[in-house]
C-alpha cells in the first residue's frame, strides 16, 4: 500500500512538472502577450514576466513594443515642376495597441512599409524641386501625417519620418552647379565693386591732400621707391614726376623759334648752277639751253645771298662751289645740237668753245 501511494505521488509530481513546463511562459520587458484560447482573444494583455496558459487550449502571441526603424526603398517620381527625381526615406514607428496590431492587420510591418512608399510618391508629385532640397521639414511633417492616418487603426503610431536622399539627373546637377557658380560670381563682383568704390573715395581724398601739399607727393614717391627696393630686385623702376614733364612742355612752348640766316647758303649748296664757271648737268628728259657767250656769265654772288665768309671763298676760287663735293668739268667743244652732254658722257663733235664769233647769238 505504501508503495502504491509512493508511486502515485511520484506520478502526480511528474504530471505537475510536465504541466508547469508546458504552461509556463516568459514575456520580456519590451514585449506584451496576447492569449488566444481556442482561437478567441482573451481579454487583457499579459504583462512582462512569468505567466501561465492552459496547454493545448491556449496560445500566447508576443508583440514587440520597441520603436521600429523601417527604411523606405527609393521611389522615382516627377515633381510639380517636371523634374525626375529619386527619393528615399526612413520611418520610425512603434506599436501602441498590441491587440489591433495583431487582429486588424495581417502584417503591420509590411502594411506600414507599403503605405510609406505610396505616401512618398504622392509627396514627390505635389512638391517642387526646391522644396525637396531646402524645405524638407515641411515635407517630413506632411509625409508623417499621410502615413499616420491609416496606421492609427492598426495600433501603430508613427513617431517620425525623414527624407534621406534626393537623387537628381546628371544634367540637372550640372545646371544647378552653373546656376550656383553664376550666383557666387555675381556676389563676388558686387563685393569687388563696393570695395573699388570705397577705395576710389579714399584715393580722391588723398589726391586732394597731395594737391594742396606738393611735398606729400614727393614723400609718397620716396615711399614707393623704398617699398620696391625692399624686395631686393636687380632692377629698380623709378617713376618720373609728371609735374617735371609739364614744366618742360611749358618752357618749350614759351621759347621763340630762331631765324635761319644760312638758308641762302644752303640753297646755293643745293643748286650748283648758281656758282660761276660751272654748268649744270644735262637732264636726259629735259634739254638744257645753250650757254651764253664768254664774258656774259651771271655773277654767282648776285644769284644767291651768301654770308661774308662764304662770299670771300667764292671770290678766291670762282671755279668751285662752297659745300659742293664734286663739280663735273665741261668740254671745250660746243656740241652741234646746242645741248651739253650728261655727266660722264663723251663730248660730241662740233665747234670749239673758243670761237664765239662763229656761234650765232640766241
Amino acid at each position: 500500500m505504501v508503495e502504491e501511494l509512493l508511486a502515485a505521488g511520484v506520478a502526480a509530481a511528474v504530471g505537475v512538472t510536465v504541466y508547469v513546463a508546458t504552461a509556463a511562459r516568459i514575456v520580456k520587458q519590451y514585449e506584451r502577450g496576447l492569449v488566444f484560447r481556442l482561437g478567441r482573444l482573451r481579454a487583457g494583455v499579459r504583462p512582462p514576466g512569468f505567466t501561465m496558459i492552459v496547454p493545448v487550449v491556449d496560445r500566447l502571441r508576443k508583440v514587440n513594443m520597441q520603436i521600429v526603424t523601417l527604411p523606405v526603398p527609393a521611389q522615382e517620381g516627377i515633381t510639380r515642376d517636371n523634374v525626375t527625381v529619386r527619393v528615399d526615406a526612413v520611418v520610425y514607428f512603434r506599436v501602441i495597441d498590441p491587440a489591433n496590431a495583431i487582429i486588424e492587420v495581417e502584417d503591420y510591418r509590411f502594411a506600414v512599409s507599403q503605405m510609406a512608399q505610396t505616401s512618398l510618391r504622392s509627396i514627390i508629385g505635389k512638391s517642387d524641386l526646391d522644396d525637396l532640397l531646402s524645405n524638407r521639414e515641411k515635407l517630413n511633417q506632411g509625409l508623417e501625417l499621410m502615413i499616420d492616418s491609416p496606421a492609427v487603426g492598426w495600433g501603430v503610431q508613427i513617431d517620425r519620418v525623414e527624407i534621406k536622399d534626393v537623387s537628381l539627373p546628371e544634367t540637372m546637377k550640372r545646371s544647378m552647379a552653373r546656376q550656383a557658380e553664376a550666383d557666387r560670381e555675381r556676389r563676388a563682383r558686387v563685393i569687388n565693386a563696393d570695395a573699388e568704390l570705397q577705395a576710389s573715395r579714399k584715393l580722391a581724398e588723398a589726391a586732394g591732400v597731395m594737391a594742396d601739399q606738393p611735398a606729400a607727393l614727393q614723400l609718397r614717391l620716396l615711399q614707393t621707391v623704398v617699398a620696391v627696393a625692399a624686395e631686393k630686385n636687380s632692377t629698380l623702376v623709378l617713376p618720373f614726376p609728371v609735374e617735371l614733364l609739364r614744366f618742360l612742355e611749358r618752357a618749350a612752348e614759351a621759347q621763340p623759334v630762331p631765324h635761319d640766316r644760312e638758308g641762302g647758303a644752303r640753297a646755293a649748296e643745293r643748286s650748283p648752277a648758281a656758282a660761276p664757271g660751272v654748268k649744270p648737268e644735262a637732264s636726259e628728259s629735259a634739254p638744257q639751253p645753250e650757254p651764253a657767250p664768254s664774258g656774259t656769265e651771271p655773277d654767282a654772288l648776285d644769284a644767291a645771298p651768301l654770308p661774308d665768309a662764304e662770299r670771300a671763298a667764292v671770290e678766291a676760287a670762282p671755279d668751285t662751289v662752297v659745300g659742293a663735293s664734286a663739280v663735273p668739268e665741261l668740254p671745250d667743244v660746243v656740241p652741234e645740237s646746242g645741248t651739253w652732254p650728261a655727266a660722264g658722257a663723251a663730248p660730241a663733235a662740233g665747234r670749239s668753245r673758243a670761237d664765239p664769233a662763229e656761234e650765232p647769238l640766241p
Side-chain angles (χ1 to χ4, degrees):
M1 186 67 183
V2 176
E3 294 178 355
E4 293 179 355
L5 292 177
L6 184 57
V10 172
V14 172
V16 171
T17 304
V18 172
Y19 176 80
V20 171
T22 306
R25 297 289 185 273
I26 297 177
V27 180
K28 297 179 180 181
Q29 181 65 35
Y30 55 85
E31 294 177 342
R32 298 294 183 269
L34 298 176
V35 178
F36 290 87
R37 178 168 293 177
L38 298 177
R40 188 180 181 86
L41 178 65
R42 291 184 61 86
V45 179
R46 300 295 175 93
F50 181 81
T51 183
M52 296 290 292
I53 62 173
V54 178
V56 182
V57 180
D58 293 345
R59 183 182 177 185
L60 182 64
R61 181 77 178 271
K62 300 176 182 180
V63 180
N64 192 341
M65 303 298 291
Q66 292 177 320
I67 295 178
V68 181
T69 302
L70 179 65
V72 181
Q75 302 298 315
E76 185 173 357
I78 300 177
T79 61
R80 189 166 57 181
D81 51 354
N82 299 326
V83 179
T84 303
V85 295
R86 289 177 60 88
V87 182
D88 56 351
V90 59
V91 180
Y92 302 92
F93 70 93
R94 63 187 180 92
V95 177
I96 59 175
D97 190 352
N100 289 338
I102 298 300
I103 296 174
E104 298 296 335
V105 63
E106 180 182 3
D107 187 356
Y108 64 90
R109 289 175 177 265
F110 182 74
V112 172
S113 175
Q114 295 299 316
M115 180 57 65
Q117 294 180 30
T118 55
S119 301
L120 182 59
R121 284 195 294 267
S122 178
I123 286 293
I124 292 174
K126 294 179 181 179
S127 305
D128 295 333
L129 179 61
D130 294 339
D131 295 336
L132 290 175
L133 297 176
S134 60
N135 195 12
R136 293 189 180 183
E137 293 295 333
K138 182 179 179 180
L139 297 179
N140 293 337
Q141 294 176 2
L143 187 60
E144 179 181 349
L145 182 62
M146 294 179 65
I147 300 175
D148 189 61
S149 297
V152 172
W154 304 337
V156 178
Q157 179 183 359
I158 305 299
D159 286 348
R160 192 170 184 178
V161 181
E162 291 287 344
I163 296 177
K164 292 173 59 178
D165 188 22
V166 178
S167 300
L168 301 175
E170 293 297 330
T171 56
M172 181 59 64
K173 290 181 180 179
R174 289 193 293 268
S175 300
M176 295 178 66
R178 289 195 299 268
Q179 180 182 2
E181 183 179 359
D183 184 66
R184 288 193 298 268
E185 184 177 358
R186 178 185 62 84
R187 287 182 291 179
R189 289 185 177 181
V190 170
I191 295 174
N192 191 16
D194 190 12
E196 291 291 341
L197 177 60
Q198 296 179 6
S200 63
R201 291 175 179 174
K202 295 299 181 181
L203 290 175
E205 295 177 2
V209 173
M210 290 183 180
D212 296 337
Q213 300 292 334
L217 183 59
Q218 299 297 330
L219 293 177
R220 180 57 183 161
L221 177 60
L222 295 177
Q223 291 177 359
T224 305
V225 173
V226 171
V228 173
E231 299 180 0
K232 298 181 180 180
N233 295 329
S234 59
T235 303
L236 179 61
V237 179
L238 182 62
F240 196 77
V242 181
E243 287 75 6
L244 182 58
L245 294 177
R246 294 177 179 174
F247 174 76
L248 295 177
E249 183 179 357
R250 289 193 298 267
E253 292 178 355
Q255 184 178 3
V257 180
H259 178 69
D260 192 1
R261 300 177 56 186
E262 300 180 357
R266 295 173 183 173
E269 293 178 3
R270 289 193 299 267
S271 59
V278 177
K279 299 297 181 178
E281 297 182 359
S283 175
E284 297 180 357
S285 58
Q288 297 295 333
E290 295 182 357
S294 59
T296 60
E297 294 181 1
D299 190 4
L301 298 177
D302 297 335
L306 296 177
D308 297 338
E310 295 185 3
R311 182 182 297 273
V314 170
E315 293 177 355
D319 293 338
T320 59
V321 179
V322 177
S325 60
V327 178
E329 296 182 358
L330 297 179
D332 294 335
V333 179
V334 178
E336 297 180 355
S337 59
T339 59
W340 297 98
R351 298 186 305 271
S352 173
R353 188 178 179 187
D355 301 332
E358 298 179 2
E359 182 180 358
L361 296 175

